Amino acid sequence: MLICRVVGNVVSTIKDEKLTGKKILIVRETTTENELVGKPIAAIDTVDAGIGDLVLIAQGSSARQTSLTKETPTDAVIMAIIDELAVDGKITFRK
């Protein structure tokens, strides 16, 4: 799992039929201090996340284990919205 921030969305009218009705968001990995790192990733949203939310994503075959992404051509999935993040006893993020 990776900690990411939702930074954008994808609109696609022509796509694989198994992706019809699925919301696709752009996320970027963050450090535990909320600094954006890494390249943008397109991920299927299963938890109704929005721009600015801090989320957990899974990639690869794990991304196809949710009820919404099973047997879809998915490489990344948003599976949780983070309410609070604490590292070494210090809260680094709170929604």
Side-chain angles (χ1 to χ4, degrees), residues 32-89:
T32 56
E33 285 76 38
N34 297 305
E35 298 169 359
L36 294 175
V37 294
K39 62 183 180 183
I41 300 167
I44 300 294
D45 178 24
T46 65
V47 293
D48 201 25
I51 295 191
D53 281 339
L54 198 63
V55 297
L56 289 178
I57 71 161
Q59 293 181 289
S61 61
S62 296
R64 294 180 290 281
Q65 300 302 312
T66 72
S67 59
L68 289 176
T69 57
K70 194 171 231 40
E71 298 183 25
T72 63
T74 301
D75 188 54
V77 64
I78 299 169
M79 58 188 178
I81 298 173
I82 297 173
D83 295 316
E84 184 175 281
L85 185 63
V87 179
D88 295 327

Side-chain angles (χ1 to χ4, degrees), residues 12-22 24 71-73:
S12 175
T13 55
I14 301 172
K15 57 188 164 237
D16 185 282
E17 65 183 36
K18 291 180 181 178
L19 295 177
T20 300
K22 310 273 190 295
I24 304 171
E71 298 183 25
T72 63

